[in-house]
Amino acid sequence: MKSYFFLFLFALSPFISRAQKLHLILASDYENKDFGMISLKDEEMVSTMFKKISTQIGYHLQTVYVNRKVDGLTEKAVRNAVSDTSIHPNDIVVFYYSGFGTYPDNSTLPSMQLDNPGLFKLEKHSLVSIDEVAAILQTKRLRLGIVMADCRNKMIDRYPTPLPRNTIVKHDRSKEILKKLFLGEPCRILKISSGQKGKPVFTIQRNSVFTYSLTEAFEDMLYAKNLKEVTLNNLLARINKITKSFIPEYAGLSQVPVSCRPAAVKPVVKATR
């Protein structure tokens, strides 16, 4: 009888012991500074940021790379990553795209240009929109989903001067702050583009402006004076403020929050020549 009991516990243990996960999906295009493609540096910055976040909020980090050094930056690879069966309800998923993009007529958010045969052969590609990625994640019933597209189209030679932050802290509150930031709000999926439709999106020689501002805003949040200031909306506002401080013509992010508990939606992928 005992053997059956222990066998039952063994079969049940994956469901009992499974910790919630933070899934970080990094999709990056070509690495070519002349075209503002600082994709691998951006990947490194975003990865470092979410390693710290996962540790502090107690979520196991699972990082998936979709780029030209792995299986190729293709529609199929992106779809497989966001459809991964290891993504469970109440997990957190962060999708970050760095590369070429285009804006469909019917959307304020960009589509990724995938399946490109070469850096100078962009006439043939598949379009996968940020909306479509979010639609797949919506079927997962996540705790939180963040879908980011960093599509740059303008190189500048200016360098940012970090905004001042309150560095006087009595004790480290980063765990408390990050739990409030990522676990303390009603569930939702947030779609973010690095710029607004028809407006310039910038890169500097060492990394993209959006990614720089994202990581700086995240560090700033760790010095919040009180927990009321700790919200995702304030994080995004800080990204805009940092960017605007050294690029006056910057028009700001595009962001669209949507429910993370909808009816299932089957995305459609468009092929363009």
Side-chain angles (χ1 to χ4, degrees):
M1 188 69 178
K2 285 185 177 180
S3 61
Y4 286 108
F5 177 72
F6 286 116
L7 184 62
F8 172 75
L9 286 181
F10 179 77
L12 195 62
S13 60
F15 302 97
I16 295 175
S17 62
R18 183 192 176 276
Q20 299 303 136
K21 291 182 180 180
L22 193 166
H23 303 262
L24 178 60
I25 303 171
L26 299 170
S28 63
D29 207 331
Y30 300 95
E31 181 76 0
N32 189 306
K33 292 185 178 181
D34 293 336
F35 286 83
M37 310 310 288
I38 322 292
S39 303
L40 300 183
K41 178 61 177 177
D42 286 344
E43 270 191 3
E44 179 185 341
M45 293 176 71
V46 173
S47 177
T48 299
M49 170 179 161
F50 280 99
K51 282 178 183 176
K52 182 172 184 177
I53 292 169
S54 67
T55 299
Q56 296 288 12
I57 68 175
Y59 273 49
H60 173 71
L61 180 65
Q62 178 171 307
T63 304
V64 175
Y65 294 90
V66 184
N67 59 39
R68 302 200 171 273
K69 288 192 172 182
V70 187
D71 298 323
L73 186 63
T74 66
E75 173 269 321
K76 182 179 179 181
V78 167
R79 182 175 296 280
N80 286 344
V82 296
S83 302
D84 189 347
T85 56
S86 71
I87 300 174
H88 291 276
N90 295 319
D91 281 354
I92 295 173
V93 177
V94 177
F95 179 91
Y96 173 89
Y97 171 71
S98 172
F100 287 106
T102 186
Y103 282 84
D105 293 337
N106 60 348
S107 179
T108 60
L109 296 172
S111 290
M112 300 172 282
Q113 294 182 219
L114 309 177
D115 301 299
N116 299 330
L119 183 60
F120 301 102
K121 298 179 181 179
L122 299 180
E123 71 280 358
K124 181 181 179 181
H125 55 261
S126 297
L127 293 181
V128 178
S129 73
I130 297 306
D131 297 317
E132 292 164 0
V133 171
I136 295 174
L137 294 179
Q138 279 182 294
T139 67
K140 303 284 189 178
R141 298 185 175 276
L142 303 173
R143 176 69 178 260
L144 173 67
I146 302 177
V147 182
M148 294 182 281
D150 187 357
C151 305
R152 284 92 59 195
N153 55 24
K154 189 175 181 65
M155 176 78 85
I156 63 168
D157 56 6
R158 294 173 231 169
Y159 283 87
T161 301
L163 294 181
R165 60 168 65 111
N166 179 20
T167 55
I168 302 175
V169 292
K170 294 182 179 179
H171 61 278
D172 183 6
R173 300 176 61 208
S174 57
K175 182 177 293 187
E176 182 184 14
I177 288 170
L178 290 174
K179 283 188 174 182
K180 170 67 165 52
L181 185 62
F182 287 92
L183 304 176
E185 299 185 30
C187 88
R188 62 172 172 169
I189 290 180
L190 186 60
K191 297 180 285 187
I192 305 168
S193 169
S194 53
Q196 297 180 8
K197 189 172 185 176
K199 302 296 183 180
V201 182
F202 300 90
T203 185
I204 51 182
Q205 284 292 333
R206 60 177 181 236
N207 52 262
S208 79
V209 171
F210 169 75
T211 301
Y212 167 81
S213 298
L214 169 68
T215 53
E216 280 293 301
F218 161 69
E219 289 294 334
D220 289 349
M221 192 63 70
L222 299 182
Y223 296 95
K225 293 181 180 179
N226 62 71
L227 289 181
K228 289 184 178 179
E229 300 174 13
V230 180
T231 67
L232 288 172
N233 287 339
N234 283 347
L235 178 70
L236 298 177
R238 186 67 175 176
I239 292 172
N240 279 331
K241 186 174 181 179
I242 291 170
T243 307
K244 192 77 174 176
S245 69
F246 72 99
I247 303 178
E249 60 267 43
Y250 179 67
L253 302 171
S254 288
Q255 53 176 300
V256 181
V258 293
S259 169
C260 52
R261 304 262 189 232
V265 177
K266 185 176 181 180
V268 177
V269 178
K270 299 176 182 178
T272 304
R273 289 183 180 274

